[in-house]
Amino acid sequence: MNEKTMTAEEDLRFEQMLAEESVCTKENIVFDRTDTLIDTNMHYCPGCGHGVAHRLIAEVIDELDIQKDTIGVAPVGCSVLAYNYLNIDMNGAAHGRAAAVATGIKRVLPEKYVFTYQGDGDLAAIGTGETIHACNRGENFLIVFINNGIYGMTGGQMAPTTLPGMKSTTSPEGRDIVTMGSPLKITELIAQLPGTYYVTRTAVNSPVNVRKAKAAIKKSFEYQKLNKGTCLVEIVTNCPSNWKMNPVESNKWLEDNMLPFYPLGDIKKPSN
Amino acid sequence: MKKEFRLMKGNEALAEAAIRAGCDAYFGYPITPQSEVLEYLSGEAAKRTGMVVLQAESEIASINMVYGAAGTGKRVMTSSSSPGMSLMQEGISYIACGELPCLLVNVQRGGPGLGTIQPGQADYLQAVKGGGHGDYKVITLAPSTVQEMVDFVGEGFELAYKYRNPVLILTDGALGQMMEKVLLPELRPRKTEFEPWGSTGKTPDRERNVIYTLSLQPDVMEQWNQRLQAKYRIIEENETRCELIDCEDADYILVAYGLVARICQKAAHIARDKGIKVGVFRPITVYPYPYAELNKIADKVKGFMTVEMNAGQMLEDVRLAVNGKKPIEFYGRQGGMIPSPEDIFHKLEEKIIGELV
Ligand SMILES: Cc1ncc(C[n+]2csc(CCOP(=O)(O)OP(=O)(O)O)c2C)c(N)n1
Ligand code: SF4
C-alpha cells in the first residue's frame, strides 16, 4: 500500500493489523531490550563491541535489580555518550579521570554500586595514574575496560594497547616497539596490586565469550557488596572502522591477533 | 561544638572551619605552603563528623574526585598551592560546566615554575579570568585575615550551592602560615538531604540524573554557554563585595587584596601621619570584581596605586574600573617578597604624589 494514499484512519487500521498479525507476542518473545538499556539509536559503528558491552552492563543491573543504587562513570572516547544508553544516574568524567571521579562518588556514597567504563587510551595512557592508584587503594568499584587497541573516537591513532606492527594513523608503518614502546598489558599490571580483588579478561566476539563477559561483570557487581577491593573486567573488542575492516573480518582479526597477545581468562581470582 | 575563640594558623583554622561547615569530603595532595589543611583534616576530622578525607595521588586526581563527589550533591572541597592549582584547571572547567558546587582553596606561592614556597599573588589572572579552557567563572573570595579564612569557608559553601558553581578562596602562604585569634563558628551538621540534580542512583520516582559537560551540537552548546553567562551576570549583580578603608576624604587610594590590603592599611597610616590623605580599596570578591564601586571613587580622588605580590595582574581590573578617569600607578613585589608599609608609602609618594603636586 502506498503510504501517501493512506488516510490517518487507514494508517491506524494498518498498524492494528500488523500488531494483530505480529509473530512477536509476550508469550513467544525470546530476546528483547533489557529495561535499563534506553530505547534509542546508538551512535556506535555497525559491529562495534561497545554496544554489546553496554547491553551486558544493563542486563546485569536489571538481573541484580540495582538500577536505583548504581552510578556509572562514562569516559572520554567513543563511549563518551554511554550515559545516553543506560537508564541510570551517570557522570561523564574528563579524559582518563574516571577512576578518580568514581573514587569521589564511592567515598561519599559507599553503599552504592559504582562502575567506570573506559577505553584503552582513557584508562591506560592519559589515566594510567588514576587507574593504578584507585586499584592500589582498593576502591570498591568496578572498572570495565574496553580494549580495542586503538583510539576510536579521535580517528584511529595508536593506543597504549596497539599491537606490535599494527597500523594506526600515528604508526602508519606499524607500531615499532623500539621507538613507540610495547603494548601495555595494564590488566596484568593491575592484578599485581593488593588492592584489586578480581581481575579478568574477556571478549565479546562470540556468543560464548559474550556470556563469559556478562558473568564476569555480574560477579564484579556482586563482589562490590563485600568491600574487598577493585574489580576490573577487560573486554577485548574490535574497532571495525579504524581497523578498516568489516565487522566479520574484524572479529576474525581479533581472534587471530588480539587474543593471542591478550589471552582471555581470570588473571586474579578472589582469594577467600 | 559551640562557637569559640582560638589562636590558630591560617591553614589549620580553614581546615577546622571546613569540619564545622559540615564538609562531607576533602580530597587533597601535599604542597607547601598549604599542606597543613590536609594534615589537620587527616587528624580527627573523620572521627568528629565522619567526613571523608583522602590524600589523592595528584592534584589532577583530587579535583576529579571533587568532581565525582560534588556530582552527588555532597559538600566537597580541595585545597592546593599554585603549581597544584595549575594541574587542577581542566577539572575546574568541567566542574564549572557541569554546574557543580564545591569549595577550592589556593594558598598561593610565588612562581612561575616551581617558583618559591614563599607567599605570592601571581595566580590572580588564572583565578578570576577562568584559568582553564572555555568561558567559565569561579566565584573568588580573597581573605585578608585568618578570621576571613574561617568565615569564607561557610560563606563559600553557601555561594557554591546558591549558584551551583565552584567557589575559590584565593589566599597566600603568609595568611596560611600566620597565627591569629579567630572566632570559630558552631558545628553545622553534615548534609543528609539529596540535591534533586545529584547523581546518587536513579529511583523510580524521578528521571535519571546525568552530570556531563559535552554537547556535540553547537547551537545546544551555545545555549548552555548563554545559560552560564546569564548566571555569571546575576552573580556579578548580587555577590560583589569590597571594603573601603578611610576612603571618604582620601586624595589617594591604594588598591590591594588579601594580605597586601592589610599592609596597605599600615602604609595609609604612615601617610596620614604625614598629613597625606590615603585610603585603601580592598576587593573581597575578586570575581565578581567591584568595578562600579571603584569607578565611583575615581570621581573623588587624585590617583590610585595598585599594590600586589606579582607584576601587575589585578592592575588590569583596576584600569578597567577606573576607565581612564584618574592616573593609576603600580607597585609590585615578586618571588615571594612581601612589600613593607614603608616601601608602599615611598612608592606612593614617588610615583603619584610627587607627579601630581
Ligand atoms: C585532555 C584530553 N586530551 C585529549 C582528548 C582527545 N581524545 C578524546 S578520546 C581520545 C582517545 C580515546 O581512545 P580510547 O580511550 O581508546 O577509547 P575509544 O574511542 O577507542 O573507545 C582522545 C585522545 C581529550 N578529550 N581530552
Ligand atoms: S570508531 Fe571504533 S570503537 Fe568507535 S564506535 Fe566506531 S567501531 Fe566502535
Side-chain angles (χ1 to χ4, degrees), chain B residues 89-321:
Chain B
Q89 294 304 319
E90 183 198 27
I92 297 172
S93 170
Y94 275 68
I95 290 170
C97 185
E99 296 192 80
L100 302 181
C102 68
L103 185 66
L104 316 168
V105 181
N106 181 0
V107 186
Q108 294 173 93
R109 59 193 238 182
L114 196 51
T116 169
I117 56 170
Q118 304 302 327
Q121 292 185 323
D123 306 343
Y124 177 90
L125 289 174
Q126 180 200 63
V128 306
K129 304 293 175 188
H133 60 285
D135 275 330
Y136 73 92
K137 292 287 185 186
V138 174
I139 300 171
T140 307
L141 305 169
S144 74
T145 59
V146 175
Q147 184 65 55
E148 281 185 336
M149 298 264 287
V150 167
D151 297 342
F152 290 177
V153 172
E155 289 169 30
F157 275 126
E158 292 289 328
L159 286 168
Y161 279 89
K162 185 170 172 188
Y163 295 103
R164 281 187 60 184
N165 206 69
V167 172
L168 169 69
I169 297 181
L170 184 68
T171 181
D172 65 68
L175 280 166
Q177 298 296 323
M178 78 167 61
M179 288 186 93
E180 286 190 295
K181 186 175 116 175
V182 286
L183 176 61
L184 296 166
E186 231 172 274
L187 179 75
R188 192 180 149 177
R190 285 187 40 218
K191 256 172 90 85
T192 47
E193 77 285 9
F194 283 144
E195 296 289 331
W197 48 264
S199 189
T200 54
K202 185 209 166 308
T203 44
D205 56 330
R206 66 158 168 85
E207 290 298 303
R208 71 215 162 92
N209 286 335
V210 179
I211 309 293
Y212 66 106
T213 64
L214 170 79
S215 173
L216 294 170
Q217 290 154 275
D219 55 331
V220 176
M221 192 65 219
E222 190 181 45
Q223 282 166 18
W224 192 338
N225 285 130
Q226 286 164 348
R227 200 179 69 233
L228 290 177
Q229 291 302 321
K231 177 170 85 174
Y232 302 149
R233 297 299 90 76
I234 295 170
I235 292 171
E236 285 158 13
E237 214 157 279
N238 296 319
E239 308 300 343
T240 308
R241 286 168 64 184
C242 58
E243 187 184 13
L244 281 65
I245 306 151
D246 296 335
C247 289
E248 308 79 50
D249 64 338
D251 288 325
Y252 307 98
I253 299 287
L254 293 167
V255 189
Y257 79 91
L259 177 79
V260 182
R262 270 171 91 174
I263 306 171
C264 282
Q265 284 180 56
K266 183 84 175 119
H269 289 159
I270 298 175
R272 289 212 176 235
D273 284 346
K274 295 186 192 293
I276 308 163
K277 290 183 198 151
V278 175
V280 177
F281 182 88
R282 175 172 84 98
I284 296 172
T285 52
V286 281
Y287 174 78
Y289 197 81
Y291 291 112
E293 293 79 356
L294 189 54
N295 183 280
K296 220 162 94 191
I297 293 181
D299 293 327
K300 302 192 296 187
V301 301
K302 293 181 181 163
F304 295 88
M305 187 169 82
T306 306
V307 189
E308 298 176 71
M309 292 193 287
N310 59 46
Q313 299 197 4
M314 184 178 72
L315 178 62
E316 294 184 6
D317 280 326
V318 177
R319 285 188 181 135
L320 282 173

Side-chain angles (χ1 to χ4, degrees), chain A residues 50 76-79 95 119-123 126 148 150-154 159, chain B residues 90:
Chain A
H50 272 305
V76 176
C78 275
S79 47
H95 191 27
D120 41 61
D122 195 84
L123 179 139
I126 193 167
N148 57 14
I150 201 114
Y151 282 14
M153 188 196 209
T154 41
Chain B
E90 183 198 27

Side-chain angles (χ1 to χ4, degrees), chain B residues 13-84:
Chain B
L14 181 136
E16 176 64 30
I19 299 172
R20 289 173 184 243
C23 181
D24 292 301
Y26 171 94
F27 304 97
Y29 187 79
I31 184 171
T32 309
Q34 78 60 67
S35 297
E36 293 86 356
V37 180
L38 173 59
E39 286 168 347
Y40 190 94
L41 291 173
S42 302
E44 285 183 13
K47 261 183 252 146
R48 275 168 62 190
T49 66
M51 77 180 275
V52 171
V53 180
L54 183 63
Q55 177 171 336
E57 64 272 25
S58 70
E59 290 86 352
I60 298 179
S62 320
I63 195 68
N64 286 287
M65 289 173 186
V66 167
Y67 174 73
T72 70
K74 294 274 185 184
R75 226 176 264 144
V76 194
M77 69 180 287
T78 183
S79 63
S80 187
S81 179
S82 308

Side-chain angles (χ1 to χ4, degrees), chain A residues 114-135:
Chain A
V114 177
F115 73 92
T116 74
Y117 184 100
Q118 301 172 257
D120 41 61
D122 195 84
L123 179 139
I126 193 167
T128 314
E130 285 76 9
T131 305
I132 288 184
H133 283 279
C135 290

Side-chain angles (χ1 to χ4, degrees), chain B residues 343-357:
Chain B
D343 284 349
I344 295 171
F345 171 69
H346 291 312
K347 289 289 168 194
L348 184 72
E349 257 193 324
E350 178 190 312
K351 292 187 172 208
I352 295 254
I353 304 172
E355 291 295 310
L356 295 181
V357 286

